[in-house]
């Protein structure tokens, strides 16, 4: 896997590069601003971009705008965004494009090496990896149909799907059978009108409907 990193904090940038190198993941470019991110993405066409939301010069949303621009420049580019805080509007804007290969993690998650590397693999593979705190905040918002049609358990399953959990992991988390999880997911697909597609593609579309509406 080939990765581009955009992070202005030198120590965090170096730490992420080292973590990835230990897993034989190559960092082809490491930059500290949005403009250089766009240039690096166009030049290297990486398998994944890891981007800090807040970068110079104003430390507001430069990273997010650069990430969105990178996905426009390289359609389908997987992007994993790192943020110091839960910034709901940024998460929704990133997810609203209607495609997979997106992640939003709080920087504190990088300290959990296993979770971080798992998120890297999932997002690079076209899936999603959304921080549980971001999911909790999005769940607190009022919802409109078709999500209103989901039962409480189906909403819970969909929330775990958004974190990137497999069916087996969801079953273990909820202490239910694998078959029960498959049934809930089938109901979710049906209620969201996600038919005639691969299971994995429908899974991503369901998560994006849940988070990016």
């Amino acid at each position: 896997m080939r990765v581009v990193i955009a992070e202005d904090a030198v120590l965090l940038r170096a730490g992420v590069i080292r973590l990835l190198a230990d897993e034989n993941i190559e960092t082809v470019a490491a930059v500290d601003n949005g403009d250089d991110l766009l240039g690096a993405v166009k030049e290297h066409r990486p398998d994944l971009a890891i981007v800090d939301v807040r970068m110079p010069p104003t430390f507001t949303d430069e990273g997010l705008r650069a990430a969105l621009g990178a996905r426009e420049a390289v359609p389908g580019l997987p992007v994993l965004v790192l943020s110091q805080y839960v910034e709901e509007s940024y998460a929704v804007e990133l997810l609203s494009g209607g495609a997979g290969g997106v992640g939003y993690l709080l920087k504190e998650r990088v300290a959990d090496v296993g979770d971080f590397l798992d998120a890297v693999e999932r997002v690079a593979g076209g899936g999603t990896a959304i921080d549980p705190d971001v999911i909790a905040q999005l769940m607190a918002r009022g919802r409109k149909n078709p999500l209103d049609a989901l039962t409480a358990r189906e909403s819970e399953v969909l929330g775990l799907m958004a974190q990137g959990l497999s069916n087996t992991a969801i079953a273990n988390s909820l202490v239910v059978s694998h078959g029960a999880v498959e049934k809930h997911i089938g109901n979710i697909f049906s209620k969201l009108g996600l038919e005639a597609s691969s299971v994995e593609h429908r899974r991503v579309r369901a998560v994006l409907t849940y988070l990016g509406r």
Side-chain angles (χ1 to χ4, degrees):
M1 187 192 305
R2 301 166 65 253
V3 174
V4 166
I5 298 172
E7 168 59 63
D8 68 290
V10 176
L11 291 179
L12 180 57
R13 187 169 67 240
V16 171
I17 292 172
R18 178 61 183 272
L19 285 178
L20 297 177
D22 288 345
E23 297 297 315
N24 296 315
I25 298 173
E26 179 185 5
T27 299
V28 295
V31 302
D32 63 2
N33 64 82
D35 290 340
D36 286 348
L37 169 65
L38 289 174
V41 164
K42 291 176 181 178
E43 177 182 355
H44 296 286
R45 300 278 168 158
D47 301 303
L48 174 70
I50 300 175
V51 185
D52 185 8
V53 167
R54 297 185 174 186
M55 288 194 294
T58 67
F59 295 94
T60 54
D61 64 351
E62 284 86 355
L64 173 73
R65 289 189 281 108
L68 294 171
R71 282 174 72 89
E72 290 180 2
V74 181
L77 171 71
V79 174
L80 176 58
V81 168
L82 302 179
S83 180
Q84 190 70 39
Y85 309 101
V86 177
E87 303 184 64
E88 180 182 321
S89 61
Y90 293 160
V92 171
E93 185 171 358
L94 179 66
L95 292 164
S96 65
V102 291
Y104 187 106
L105 295 182
L106 296 182
K107 286 186 176 180
E108 64 189 49
R109 304 292 175 189
V110 179
D112 190 319
V113 176
D115 285 351
F116 175 67
L117 292 175
D118 185 51
V120 166
E121 293 287 348
R122 288 204 308 271
V123 174
T128 58
I130 313 299
D131 195 285
D133 288 345
V134 175
I135 292 173
Q137 187 158 321
L138 293 176
M139 286 177 66
R141 297 166 57 194
R143 289 192 174 88
K144 299 180 180 179
N145 288 330
L147 294 172
D148 283 342
L150 301 183
T151 66
R153 177 63 90 182
E154 289 163 357
S155 293
E156 191 173 13
V157 169
L158 186 50
L160 293 173
M161 287 168 61
Q163 293 182 41
L165 272 64
S166 66
N167 288 9
T168 299
I170 292 173
N172 291 339
S173 177
L174 300 179
V175 193
V176 298
S177 69
H178 192 276
V181 171
E182 290 184 339
K183 181 177 179 180
H184 288 312
I185 292 175
N187 289 339
I188 291 167
F189 290 161
S190 178
K191 291 180 180 179
L192 296 184
L194 303 177
E195 304 295 342
S197 183
S198 71
V199 171
E200 286 306 311
H201 185 53
R202 285 194 294 174
R203 197 180 187 94
V204 170
R205 289 168 61 199
V207 168
L208 294 176
T209 298
Y210 179 69
L211 295 173
R213 61 218 178 277

